Amino acid sequence: MSPAPLITHRAIHEESGPDAAVPAHYGAPLREQRRLVAGTAVVDLGHLEVLEVRGDDRATWLTTVTSQVFTDRTEGDSFEACVLSPQGRVESLFQVATGPESFFLITDPGTRERLHDYLALMTFANRIELVERDDLHVLGSCAPLATVFGEESPTPTATWVQAWPEVAPGGVAYGPDPDFPEPWHLTLVSDAELRTPGAPWRKPEFFAGLWAAEAVRIVNHRPRLVREVDEKTIPHELDLLRTAVHTNKGCYRGQETVAKVLNLGQPPRRLVRLHLDGSQDMPAPVGAEVFFGTKKVGTLTSSALHADEGPVALAVLKRTVPHDAALIVAFEVGEASVKLDASQVTVVTERDHGERPKAAQLRR
């Protein structure tokens, strides 16, 4: 169960969905977004879940059971990792903040249990302790907490700092970098400390709603587990090989699919950023269908109103859709059918494997 929001004054929540537990905005979404990007506001992400992994074998063990390398990490290091199915499909996606004697795994709401169960199953004789840290509260920001709150900032337990779009060691980029990526921090703070009565950071002007964070994430081309991932997703489709999958490390579950698609094939689908027609003043909902001509080619997975870019979205499309094709996003509002024009910004593209050798022919 998610903790109560830190600020309730003028807080507006989404009616349903994975983010309904935290404020979507506080009455001025675009102004909140500008304060977030300027480094003067944070986003209450108390619905994100934290799993701490302790124990002497934690680094070597996590390296064997996930898609990433955990060895040779030092306190303060930030990175990302996946758990893949034997068929190479994404089961878990999480951010990792390195503490002095543990790793803090930060997961989307409602997804920690599956990750915990898998890791517990794989423990065997390793010296490992898994701790669900419901005493920690996650804050999202475009700047360090000390920059936002000043000298009287709350004390972080750990901080994850986004390296995206930089390609991590062992990673492979599946598309171009976003034009103007914003920095992003996830800071873990004691929930009790954040709720200290009269604390200087408990002021509404320090907070922006989740919609501001989602707008930043979309223009950064950043997928989320609860938004862009479904039961068929392989990491190549979302450019996750850039930061969350190490392609040169030893064996891990799903490695065969990762290697085959990377070296020989193409992902069947691709993540794309869309610019939507805003003239109808109709925000496109998550789940809206995407059409190329009369053919459905994908689904809208995330949608937001960006302060500078206007209506933006992420969608997962069939790979065969041309990158310069004009698209239509269709959805229902009451009894009315709405269709919005959409243009693409490439996130994932085809990988060039070079000219393949000709097949040998038998001589008669």
Side-chain angles (χ1 to χ4, degrees), residues 323-344:
H323 287 257
D324 58 353
L327 304 175
I328 297 291
V329 174
F331 54 95
E332 305 290 327
V333 178
E335 298 182 357
S337 296
V338 180
K339 294 183 178 180
L340 303 178
D341 293 331
S343 60
Q344 303 181 58

Side-chain angles (χ1 to χ4, degrees), residues 28-263:
L30 296 184
R31 286 202 297 271
E32 294 166 26
Q33 190 183 136
R34 293 194 184 281
R35 288 193 285 111
L36 176 66
V37 172
T40 60
V42 301
V43 178
D44 183 350
L45 298 177
H47 64 325
L48 299 188
E49 300 169 335
V50 181
L51 179 65
E52 185 179 8
V53 182
R54 305 170 181 167
D56 292 343
D57 297 330
R58 63 188 183 278
T60 54
W61 174 72
L62 282 167
T63 299
T64 64
V65 298
T66 73
S67 64
Q68 191 54 272
V69 172
F70 283 72
T71 53
D72 298 324
R73 304 287 185 173
T74 58
E75 182 178 0
D77 282 356
S78 301
F79 54 104
E80 294 181 291
C82 292
V83 170
L84 304 178
S85 74
Q87 295 75 35
R89 298 187 174 99
V90 178
E91 292 187 347
S92 295
L93 170 64
F94 48 94
Q95 289 72 47
V96 184
T98 308
E101 296 181 351
S102 65
F103 293 107
F104 295 90
L105 316 185
I106 307 167
T107 72
D108 258 338
T111 67
R112 180 178 62 185
E113 182 178 4
R114 182 178 189 178
L115 176 61
H116 188 167
D117 289 349
Y118 166 74
L119 294 178
L121 185 66
M122 301 300 291
T123 300
F124 302 116
N126 291 281
R127 294 167 292 177
I128 298 295
E129 182 182 5
L130 304 175
V131 183
E132 297 186 354
R133 295 297 303 270
D134 292 330
D135 59 313
L136 296 177
H137 200 109
V138 183
L139 298 177
S141 60
C142 290
L145 287 197
T147 300
V148 180
F149 295 124
E151 295 180 356
E152 298 185 69
S153 173
T155 305
T157 299
T159 301
W160 177 83
V161 181
Q162 172 180 266
W164 187 282
E166 179 182 342
V167 178
V172 176
Y174 253 81
D177 293 352
D179 290 335
F180 304 103
E182 297 290 347
W184 191 243
H185 302 243
L186 296 176
T187 307
L188 312 183
V189 184
S190 163
D191 185 76
E193 181 181 3
L194 285 176
R195 298 182 190 279
T196 303
W201 53 81
R202 297 205 64 182
K203 298 176 182 178
E205 59 264 31
F206 282 131
F207 284 82
L210 182 85
W211 285 2
E214 284 293 274
V216 170
R217 178 179 69 85
I218 289 170
V219 298
N220 274 355
H221 303 173
R222 296 286 280 133
R224 279 181 67 187
L225 182 64
V226 296
R227 292 297 187 192
E228 279 66 50
V229 175
D230 62 21
E231 69 281 356
K232 298 179 181 179
T233 301
I234 60 174
H236 318 63
E237 296 176 328
L238 306 181
D239 202 13
L240 290 177
L241 269 66
R242 183 186 289 262
T243 55
V245 178
H246 196 295
T247 61
N248 298 325
K249 80 184 194 78
C251 295
Y252 58 93
R253 196 167 74 163
Q255 182 187 32
E256 183 177 359
T257 297
V258 170
K260 276 186 176 181
V261 176
L262 174 64
N263 296 308

